[in-house]
Amino acid sequence: DWYALAYPDPDNRERVRVSWDASLTRAIDSGSTMIEAKEYLITCRNLQVRTMLVSGTLLGDSILITFVDLSERKRQEIQEDFNARRNEI
């Protein structure tokens, strides 16, 4: 199961499933083909955890899911915040 590999912690995995299912349901109920984008922490094959923006498009009976890796941008934001706080001291 992909979910078990991507989200090894069972509690987090359940939160992600509930979140994704709710987004999917909102898209279907609203008649939209777009599943809203949300950030998730996903564990890769090499066990590295990446911050991913995940969204989707409904295509008939299928779903095209897109993953955008935000990890580097998030790292830069944290570094900039750290530097700004350090400069305040």
Side-chain angles (χ1 to χ4, degrees):
D1 175 52
W2 180 84
Y3 273 100
L5 297 172
Y7 307 100
D9 175 69
D11 293 331
N12 184 47
R13 182 169 50 247
E14 183 60 23
R15 282 190 296 275
V16 168
R17 281 186 197 252
V18 167
S19 174
W20 178 258
D21 288 347
S23 294
L24 178 59
T25 299
R26 275 193 297 280
I28 292 168
D29 289 350
S30 70
S32 175
T33 59
M34 302 301 295
I35 300 169
E36 66 185 310
K38 290 189 177 179
E39 285 185 23
Y40 296 100
L41 295 176
I42 297 178
T43 303
C44 300
R45 277 188 190 158
N46 64 3
L47 302 182
Q48 188 177 41
V49 177
R50 311 290 291 179
T51 303
M52 305 293 279
L53 185 66
V54 182
S55 61
T57 303
L58 300 173
L59 302 169
D61 292 338
S62 300
I63 303 173
L64 173 65
I65 302 173
T66 58
F67 296 82
V68 177
D69 190 346
L70 302 178
S71 301
E72 183 60 26
R73 186 178 89 190
K74 289 290 194 178
R75 188 197 64 74
Q76 288 175 348
E77 289 173 359
I78 291 168
Q79 185 64 48
E80 289 170 6
D81 185 53
F82 174 79
N83 290 341
R85 290 174 191 253
R86 186 177 60 189
N87 290 337
E88 291 175 1
I89 298 175

